[in-house]
Amino acid sequence: MSVIESTLDTRSERFVQNRSEMLETLGELDALHEEVAAGGGEDAMKRLRARGKMPLRERIALVLDPDTPFLEISPLAAWRSEFQVGSGFVVGIGVIEGVECVILGHDPSVRAGAFNAFNAKKLMRGLEIARDNRMPYVQFVESAGADLRGDSGGDPEAAIRRETGHFAESGRLFYEITELSKMRIPTISVVFGASTAGGAYQPGMSDYNIFIRGQSKVFLGGPPLVKMATGEDADEESLGGAQMHCTISGLGDYLAEDETDGIRMCREVVSHLNWRKQGPGPTHAADEPLYSAEDLLGVVSRDLRQPFDMREVIARIVDGSRFEEFKPLYGPTLVTGWASIHGYPIGILGNNGALFPESAEKAAQFIQLCNQIDVPLLFLHNITGFLVGTDFEQNGITKNGSKMINAVSNSTVPHITVIVGASYGAGNYGMSGRAFGPRFTFIWPTAKIAVMGPKQMAGVMTIVQRSATERRGEVFDEAANDKRVAVVEHWAEERSKGLYATSRISDDGMIDPRDTRDVIGIALSACHNKTIAGTKEYGTWRM
């Protein structure tokens, strides 16, 4: 397999500027991650420790195998909302007793671990990852139930904050936990505190339950509700304490003396699962790329109109910078070919411009070939969309674009998507955007996602409104339109930013470009818990 020969000039003015701007953005993201890690703040952490409890992230660190990574999913959820950045919930993939698991946990330092619109989506995404990749599911339960706050006040950003969906989505978790068990995917609950009402069904639906003496409390209705409903004066321990559930009701399977003991028991449960991956392990040499990952800081400009060669990204994430390019002379605005990442074979599709009829047709063929040989697909986005216009329609852009989307839709090998730059309109769909069910989606800080660019959106609206005004025989108000265009462009730009997208859980997290290779490696390893099987069955093609 040939090696990519990089032509990236790391001393050029553009590279230096790109790198400087990327480091500035990463500094801002680091500050947000520190805010997330701080949970409910210093006072809340002190109160937690005073009650003999560990912060959530310490619990997770203790359950993981030493010196193994934890890939957190959507860590910046709820940024620019009424809720804490991170949403008071942690979801991620980690290794326990040599087994890759999906781990979820309520952060008791943030609103007592309450559910809200954002962490409900994170929870459902964690369940989806466990199901789609056949991974054991471990949940650290401690929640006061639903956070009843809503958006309020005369905040000018209220509209942008409301686009979250309804928290009732979390009610689906009871079904999903049971579904995992039906699929022979183990589910384990460690109950660290209160688990009330609907939250009681988190352990109620789990295969294994670990309760902590004097700390875990599980009941459908707490003492106040019991008093109002039945007149009974019940104390918490008799009603739903750990001792009661482990000795009388039978809901608890293991009774731990403290949190550390409960986490030890969790590790023991995972160790006896006799868990085996169904997919093959790495089959290629997992040597480092020839070029430094540091170079990735300067490849992409904040101004996404500045072109770059996606091969420069590929050269810095694949094993040994080896890449067998497929159809390099045909449809050159889409780079396709085979490589490996951390030893796992993979087919790569990367944008080097808009999708022409030829590049869309090439993509459809390449996706079929990867399905034929059971090779997962990596989609690297920098796409403004499919080209439009009379010439392109006559040359078959709709027909060939449909072939590409058909291939993406019906492909059954795992898809991993990384949005490096732009990802607009149907180009996002053709490149296996989130709506097309990739196993994992990550974005770079440079990413922008939208139906179309802000200027194009405002321009289309202007053309439509001007035509409607002329049909009515009225005079088009240019001044009012200019104001409207400014508003549309501003909010379209805000909503297109990668940080906004990741905060609304439209992906699995914004990553440092230098971590791209390792993040993809973890994702590929997770995918291989399940059989990697492609298909040659497709819908009707307009050949």
Side-chain angles (χ1 to χ4, degrees):
M1 190 176 291
S2 60
V3 172
I4 296 176
E5 184 175 343
S6 174
T7 59
L8 185 66
D9 183 359
T10 59
R11 292 175 292 184
S12 69
E13 182 178 345
R14 176 175 294 177
F15 179 92
V16 171
Q17 180 179 347
N18 290 350
R19 184 178 186 278
S20 175
E21 290 174 347
M22 178 65 80
L23 287 172
E24 179 184 346
T25 301
L26 290 173
E28 295 167 358
L29 292 176
D30 286 344
L32 286 176
H33 283 112
E34 288 175 6
E35 184 178 343
V36 172
E42 186 176 348
D43 290 342
M45 289 294 188
K46 285 180 179 178
R47 287 194 297 270
L48 201 66
R49 293 187 187 279
R51 297 197 298 268
K53 294 186 175 185
M54 285 185 282
L56 174 59
R57 291 176 186 277
E58 289 186 18
R59 293 169 179 170
I60 293 174
L62 197 58
V63 82
L64 296 175
D65 291 353
D67 301 319
T68 59
F70 180 68
L71 178 59
E72 188 168 352
I73 302 299
S74 297
L76 300 180
W79 172 77
R80 280 181 79 178
S81 80
E82 295 286 341
F83 301 100
Q84 178 82 21
V85 181
S87 75
F89 203 76
V90 174
V91 181
I93 296 172
V95 179
I96 303 173
E97 289 290 331
V99 178
E100 289 167 325
C101 300
V102 174
I103 304 169
L104 302 89
H106 305 263
D107 187 343
S109 74
V110 180
R111 302 285 295 183
F115 282 108
N116 59 54
F118 294 92
N119 61 37
K121 289 180 71 174
K122 285 177 70 169
L123 184 147
M124 295 307 295
R125 176 60 183 144
L127 285 161
E128 183 178 45
I129 291 171
R131 181 183 66 247
D132 290 350
N133 297 287
R134 187 183 161 271
M135 300 175 71
Y137 170 86
V138 177
Q139 53 183 354
F140 288 177
V141 182
E142 183 169 9
S143 173
D147 190 331
L148 301 179
R149 293 179 303 168
D151 299 317
S152 60
D155 193 319
E157 293 187 344
I160 206 170
R161 291 172 173 170
R162 289 193 185 101
E163 295 171 11
T164 61
H166 193 274
F167 103 95
E169 180 181 32
S170 63
R172 176 76 177 179
L173 78 93
F174 312 141
Y175 174 89
E176 295 288 351
I177 295 171
T178 308
E179 183 77 0
L180 290 179
S181 184
K182 184 181 79 172
M183 297 171 69
R184 303 182 69 180
I185 297 173
T187 57
I188 302 165
S189 284
V190 185
V191 182
F192 287 93
S195 186
T196 309
Y201 287 101
Q202 287 183 265
M205 298 295 183
S206 296
D207 296 339
Y208 301 91
N209 285 324
I210 299 165
F211 289 4
I212 299 167
R213 189 188 301 278
Q215 192 166 309
S216 305
K217 295 177 178 62
V218 179
F219 27 57
L220 295 182
L225 179 57
V226 170
K227 175 66 174 177
M228 293 302 298
T230 69
E232 177 189 355
D233 290 312
D235 66 90
E236 288 187 340
E237 194 60 38
S238 300
L239 185 63
Q243 178 79 19
M244 187 280 291
H245 279 307
C246 288
T247 60
I248 299 176
S249 79
L251 178 62
D253 304 312
Y254 302 88
L255 181 60
E257 294 302 317
D258 55 29
E259 293 194 3
T260 302
D261 192 36
I263 292 170
R264 175 189 63 79
M265 289 179 174
C266 180
R267 289 180 55 82
E268 287 186 352
V269 169
V270 175
S271 72
H272 83 242
L273 294 177
N274 194 30
W275 194 253
R276 295 178 299 276
K277 286 183 155 187
Q278 292 179 344
T283 56
H284 290 58
D287 44 335
E288 291 291 317
L290 298 182
Y291 308 102
S292 173
E294 290 289 328
D295 296 345
L296 294 173
L297 295 175
V299 172
V300 187
S301 172
R302 278 183 180 172
D303 180 2
L304 295 181
R305 294 172 297 181
Q306 298 293 331
F308 66 92
D309 189 345
M310 193 63 80
R311 294 178 187 84
E312 299 292 354
V313 175
I314 296 170
R316 288 158 178 82
I317 63 174
V318 302
D319 297 335
S321 300
R322 295 181 295 273
F323 184 60
E324 179 191 339
E325 189 163 352
F326 175 72
K327 267 182 159 56
L329 303 180
Y330 186 77
T333 59
L334 185 72
V335 178
T336 56
W338 288 277
S340 65
I341 296 178
H342 282 285
Y344 289 102
I346 194 160
I348 300 176
L349 299 92
N351 303 121
N352 257 8
L355 286 165
F356 284 75
E358 297 81 7
S359 47
E361 185 178 52
K362 177 169 78 170
Q365 182 186 1
F366 182 71
I367 291 166
Q368 289 183 85
L369 293 174
C370 288
N371 272 262
Q372 188 175 44
I373 59 176
D374 299 337
V375 170
L377 291 163
L378 171 64
F379 294 81
L380 299 174
H381 289 220
N382 183 36
I383 178 66
T384 54
F386 292 88
L387 282 173
V388 296
T390 303
D391 289 344
F392 299 111
E393 289 294 350
Q394 292 179 357
N395 286 330
I397 186 62
T398 299
K399 180 181 71 174
N400 289 345
S402 297
K403 290 180 188 178
M404 181 177 181
I405 291 176
N406 194 322
V408 170
S409 301
N410 290 282
S411 170
T412 57
V413 296
H415 294 185
I416 296 171
T417 295
V418 180
I419 302 174
V420 174
S423 187
Y424 291 139
N428 175 274
Y429 307 150
M431 290 293 289
S432 195
R434 190 63 173 267
F436 282 70
R439 295 285 186 90
F440 295 94
T441 302
F442 302 100
I443 63 173
W444 280 18
T446 41
K448 287 189 177 180
I449 309 169
V451 173
M452 63 180 70
K455 289 188 179 299
Q456 289 77 11
M457 182 180 295
V460 168
M461 291 177 65
T462 296
I463 292 171
V464 171
Q465 289 169 355
R466 179 177 280 113
S467 297
T469 301
E470 291 174 352
R471 284 197 303 271
R472 294 193 300 268
E474 300 173 358
V475 177
F476 186 68
D477 190 335
E478 295 289 351
N481 182 69
D482 289 345
K483 292 180 181 179
R484 185 166 51 246
V485 164
V487 172
V488 169
E489 287 188 4
H490 170 72
W491 286 113
E493 176 69 19
E494 289 299 301
R495 287 174 172 82
S496 73
K497 289 179 180 177
L499 183 55
Y500 176 74
T502 201
S503 74
R504 268 53 188 174
I505 317 171
S506 297
D507 53 73
D508 294 315
M510 180 170 282
I511 60 175
D512 185 321
R514 295 168 293 189
D515 295 332
T516 305
R517 169 178 163 82
D518 290 340
V519 168
I520 294 171
I522 293 171
L524 281 170
S525 184
C527 291
H528 281 70
N529 277 279
K530 192 174 181 179
T531 302
I532 306 296
T535 180
K536 288 291 284 184
E537 298 174 4
Y538 288 88
T540 301
W541 295 68
R542 294 190 176 276
M543 302 305 291

